[in-house]
Amino acid sequence: MIRVEGLRKTYRMGNVEVRALDGVTLEVTRGEFVGITGPSGSGKSTLLQLVGLLDEPTAGSISIQGTDVLRLSDDERTLFRLNRIGYIFQDYALVPDLTALENVVLPTLARGATERDGTDRARELLRLVGLGERTDHLPAELSGGEQQRIAIARALVNEPALLLADEPCANLDTRASTRVLDLFASINRELGQTVLMVSHEESHRRYFGRIVRLQDGVIVDDTGTKPSPG
Amino acid sequence: MLERERVAVYLASRSLARGSRTGLLLNVAIISLVFTNMILLPSIISGSVELFNEQTIDYQTSDIQVRPSEGEQYIGRVGTLLETINRVPGVRRASARHAIGATLLARNRSVSVPITALNPRDEVEVTRIHERMKDGEFFSGGERGEILVGQYVAGNEDTRRDLFASLGGVRVGERCTVAFANGVTREYVIKGIYETRSYLADYTALVTWEELESVIGGPVDQATEVLVRTDRAHDPAVVKRGLLEAGVQEEVKTWREAITSTVEDSIETFGIINGISMLVSLVIAVVVIFIVITIKAMNQRRQIAILKAIGIHRGVIIRSYLLQVLVICTLGTIGGLVAVGALEVWFSAHPLVFPDGELVPRFEPAALVENAAWLFLVSLVAGYIPAWRITREKILSAMRAG
């Protein structure tokens, strides 16, 4: 599903060179629920952003579903993200001018669905994440937890093969976090979607089928192939 | 509808509906003013050209002007020629004119102008000088010992107000002495003063054909020009062909052909001024749209990055901005058209007063369409550049910057 080899990412901060990733090699098979953990600055988000085609590595290779994604053009990457990847940002990243429903409908329209079909699918997902009654609200009118659930619905609406979640529960209370993680687990189990989730919460570990621990830009631990809990 | 356009419409409609109303109205107002500005000067120039054309037709050339053949001073056998011309289909009436050089003297002042002899019954059918009597009356036919003078010949008692040498403000009923170029001197009573506001027409004097024959000392069957009025439904160019086919040997010109090259140069100069004005207006439009879209796109850098991150093609995002530009331009153009319509109503009731006439700006549909097309074109280019530039930004850096 995902094959990452020798992945390096170096940033320049003035005259200082920061190695966010320093040779990460990782293979994830279809249907895995992988938790990426590690302390702040360990390179968790960078790894997710690179796999999510939001950034380009300094060196290394990334293959997703057999496609060498680093060889894709900018436009092809955009299409790849639309068709195969659902990305959930820590800060939700919703379009402020669009309502909850419209935020979720948008990717379906971009894939060619009719507005009616897209709306039906979006309503179904918003009901699933518990926001069936607040579909016409703008993001600014919703709480952090509600916004994150919209972001999850948006990430799932095109039924991507790969779901990437960057600390999706960082701004949520325990109850909302549980609801979100239960949702991920059920999607992973029932739809067979591969999930990569960045988290440093100990309480989340029980949801992961596999835990990859990063430190200083390298994988220091990669454990578990146990089935994800339901 | 094409997929990308459909998503662009979806995004643009929401952005416009949920964006700042005040900002949108302000942008629309600016485009309306730019459009009105683009239209106003050309319409004043068009109105000015139209006024000049009307004055040329009504007071100088009528619809068609027949002049002596090249090398000739006069049109001979003019009586027969008038009969021939009046029989040509589309001719309403022809009027023979005979101009003779003269010096007019009154109030101890003298003016040298051509005096034109005419047949009033024919003349009132081909020109409208008789409708422009400032004082006194036009000839009724066959008057002797009377003369009509243009307003600039009559002049003002305060001669500092005169544009040309004048008779110092002579009035109807006063006497003036005329020394003709053939040596004859006569005394006339001023029967009327006409004011057409055409410089060329108002710096002349008129006598009847009978008076001319008296000055010449016998029947006059030659003219310096024949003016021809066509029926309204007939194109002067078509009637001109009819005149030539009827055997008119003299130089025949439609009023448009008779306009001198000086006037054409003036119109060309107006065209250059108009072009410069249009260019300046377009530059204003470009700058406004460029700034508006740049600010909008800069403020929405993060939103643009989000759209790209979830798989929305940057072409869709650019299109959504261009659609917003189109909406702003459309509303601005509609606003401009309303303003232009209001100006048209206003100027119809309150024409611009110039020394050579009352000018009503002429708002031509072709100019409206042309200017609107230019406005849309430059606005799209001005909107495209910042949208293109900002959508090229890397996703993560734009998301962090936002």
Side-chain angles (χ1 to χ4, degrees):
Chain A
M1 176 74 191
I2 305 171
R3 178 187 285 272
V4 171
E5 280 185 70
L7 207 60
R8 291 176 195 278
K9 180 68 183 179
T10 309
Y11 298 104
R12 288 204 75 83
M13 296 180 79
N15 292 329
V16 182
E17 199 174 72
V18 178
R19 289 185 178 182
L21 287 181
D22 195 10
V24 168
T25 296
L26 178 70
E27 196 164 335
V28 176
T29 55
R30 187 178 175 278
E32 276 193 282
F33 190 163
V34 180
I36 302 170
T37 64
S40 284
S42 60
K44 306 184 296 289
S45 292
T46 304
L47 176 61
L48 209 69
Q49 285 158 1
L50 293 173
V51 173
L53 313 189
L54 299 178
D55 203 357
E56 289 174 41
T58 311
S61 68
I62 305 171
S63 166
I64 302 174
Q65 290 187 310
T67 304
D68 182 352
V69 292
L70 298 183
R71 286 180 178 272
L72 298 177
S73 69
D74 205 35
D75 287 351
E76 287 168 338
R77 282 179 193 211
T78 303
L79 267 180
F80 199 93
R81 283 195 297 270
L82 177 69
N83 293 322
R84 304 204 205 181
I85 298 174
Y87 202 105
I88 299 159
F89 295 86
Q90 186 178 340
D91 59 357
Y92 332 125
L94 297 174
V95 180
D97 286 341
L98 301 182
T99 63
L101 181 68
E102 289 164 351
N103 262 290
V104 183
V105 169
L106 184 62
T108 69
L109 299 181
R111 275 192 74 171
T114 63
E115 196 167 339
R116 175 178 284 187
D117 287 349
T119 303
D120 288 348
R121 172 85 180 125
R123 281 192 192 285
E124 185 188 322
L125 275 166
L126 285 168
R127 260 197 306 275
L128 188 69
V129 298
L131 281 175
E133 304 300 316
R134 311 210 68 184
T135 57
D136 293 331
H137 288 259
L138 291 169
E141 298 163 351
L142 299 169
S143 70
E146 287 169 328
Q147 289 187 56
Q148 191 59 293
R149 280 184 275 161
I150 297 167
I152 293 165
R154 182 180 67 185
L156 295 173
V157 75
N158 279 339
E159 296 177 1
L162 177 60
L163 186 65
L164 305 175
D166 189 359
E167 302 204 41
C169 304
N171 300 313
L172 306 184
D173 58 28
T174 310
R175 196 173 157 192
S177 296
T178 305
R179 196 167 184 168
V180 166
L181 290 165
D182 285 346
L183 185 64
F184 284 174
S186 111
I187 289 161
N188 168 248
R189 189 179 58 248
E190 288 164 22
L191 302 177
Q193 272 175 320
T194 310
V195 182
L196 255 70
M197 179 175 146
V198 169
S199 172
H200 54 229
E201 292 285 335
E202 280 297 318
S203 62
H204 296 170
R205 298 172 74 91
R206 67 189 181 92
Y207 286 91
F208 304 142
R210 177 180 167 193
I211 298 171
V212 174
R213 182 173 166 75
L214 285 170
Q215 191 167 333
D216 298 329
V218 294
I219 295 175
V220 292
D221 195 18
D222 186 352
T223 56
T225 50
K226 60 180 188 273
S228 51
Chain B
M1 197 190 292
L2 298 169
E3 223 161 78
R4 286 184 180 171
E5 277 66 25
R6 194 171 56 120
V7 181
V9 168
Y10 192 83
L11 286 171
S13 60
R14 269 72 179 175
S15 179
L16 285 169
R18 296 182 186 134
S20 158
R21 290 281 160 86
T22 312
L24 178 66
L25 285 175
L26 197 64
N27 296 333
V28 168
I30 291 169
I31 295 299
S32 294
L33 291 174
V34 166
F35 183 73
T36 308
N37 188 46
M38 286 170 79
I39 290 297
L40 193 58
L41 186 60
S43 63
I44 289 174
I45 291 171
S46 292
S48 170
V49 170
E50 183 70 15
L51 177 66
F52 180 81
N53 290 344
E54 279 175 8
Q55 287 183 338
T56 301
I57 295 168
D58 289 344
Y59 311 124
Q60 291 175 52
T61 64
S62 197
D63 292 319
I64 295 171
Q65 187 182 38
V66 181
R67 296 178 64 84
S69 306
E70 201 173 338
E72 299 291 329
Q73 194 177 353
Y74 298 105
I75 298 168
R77 299 179 66 194
V78 72
T80 311
L81 179 66
L82 286 176
E83 284 173 14
T84 304
I85 292 174
N86 281 324
R87 279 199 300 270
V88 171
V91 170
R92 196 163 85 198
R93 185 68 80 94
S95 174
R97 290 172 147 212
H98 188 115
I100 181 169
T103 300
L104 284 70
L105 297 109
R107 295 193 173 189
N108 292 324
R109 298 178 65 83
S110 69
V111 172
S112 292
V113 292
I115 290 185
T116 301
L118 46 79
N119 182 333
R121 281 183 293 277
D122 291 337
E123 187 69 18
V124 296
E125 296 285 333
V126 300
T127 68
R128 297 177 66 190
I129 297 172
H130 62 285
E131 295 175 15
R132 295 287 178 266
M133 297 307 296
K134 182 182 175 187
D135 204 2
E137 289 176 358
F138 196 72
F139 295 128
S140 53
E143 281 93 337
R144 297 277 309 278
E146 291 182 313
I147 191 168
L148 303 178
V149 294
Q151 63 160 334
Y152 295 128
V153 175
N156 297 288
E157 287 185 2
D158 179 1
T159 52
R160 286 174 302 186
R161 290 170 57 200
D162 289 340
L163 292 171
F164 313 106
S166 78
L167 297 179
V170 286
R171 292 186 183 162
V172 170
E174 283 189 47
R175 292 180 176 279
C176 96
T177 304
V178 178
F180 289 95
N182 65 355
V184 175
T185 299
R186 291 279 168 87
E187 193 168 89
Y188 294 101
V189 172
I190 294 173
K191 182 180 172 70
I193 298 169
Y194 48 89
E195 181 188 32
T196 68
R197 291 193 169 173
S198 159
Y199 291 109
L200 290 171
D202 285 351
Y203 206 53
T204 60
L206 306 174
V207 293
T208 62
W209 199 270
E210 288 78 1
E211 183 59 40
L212 173 74
E213 288 178 334
S214 154
V215 169
I216 300 290
V220 176
D221 195 23
Q222 57 186 23
T224 48
E225 63 180 357
V226 173
L227 305 187
V228 182
R229 177 69 88 181
T230 61
D231 285 329
R232 196 164 284 181
H234 288 78
D235 180 358
V238 175
V239 178
K240 174 189 165 179
R241 271 205 303 279
L243 293 177
L244 297 174
E245 285 165 8
V248 174
Q249 304 283 318
E250 284 72 16
E251 187 180 270
V252 182
K253 287 183 175 177
T254 63
W255 66 267
R256 196 174 286 281
E257 292 165 342
I259 289 175
T260 62
S261 60
T262 313
V263 174
E264 283 178 354
D265 288 348
S266 300
I267 292 171
E268 201 172 302
T269 306
F270 276 144
I272 292 167
I273 295 168
N274 184 26
I276 293 168
S277 163
M278 184 176 160
L279 193 66
V280 170
S281 297
L282 286 175
V283 169
I284 294 169
V286 166
V287 170
V288 168
I289 294 288
F290 189 89
I291 292 171
V292 164
I293 295 300
T294 301
I295 292 172
K296 199 174 174 83
M298 287 296 285
N299 287 337
Q300 295 183 339
R301 278 169 80 191
R302 179 174 155 76
Q303 181 169 323
I304 289 169
I306 292 168
L307 290 170
K308 284 167 66 182
I310 63 169
I312 306 299
H313 193 275
R314 55 190 288 260
V316 171
I317 301 166
I318 292 172
R319 280 178 182 82
S320 82
Y321 279 95
L322 293 184
L323 282 168
Q324 292 177 61
V325 170
L326 278 179
V327 170
I328 290 170
C329 271
T330 303
L331 293 176
T333 304
I334 291 169
L337 285 171
V338 170
V340 164
L343 286 172
E344 193 168 19
V345 171
W346 169 262
F347 283 127
S348 296
H350 307 91
L352 297 166
V353 180
F354 284 84
D356 52 350
E358 289 184 342
L359 192 154
V360 178
R362 192 179 152 96
F363 298 100
E364 292 174 343
L368 294 174
V369 171
E370 188 192 349
N371 283 285
W374 274 111
L375 187 60
F376 274 84
L377 183 69
V378 298
S379 298
L380 284 176
V381 173
Y384 180 85
I385 294 167
W388 173 81
R389 202 165 50 86
I390 290 170
T391 53
R392 289 188 68 199
E393 201 173 359
K394 288 196 178 298
I395 292 174
L396 289 179
S397 58
M399 284 183 85
R400 288 187 194 113

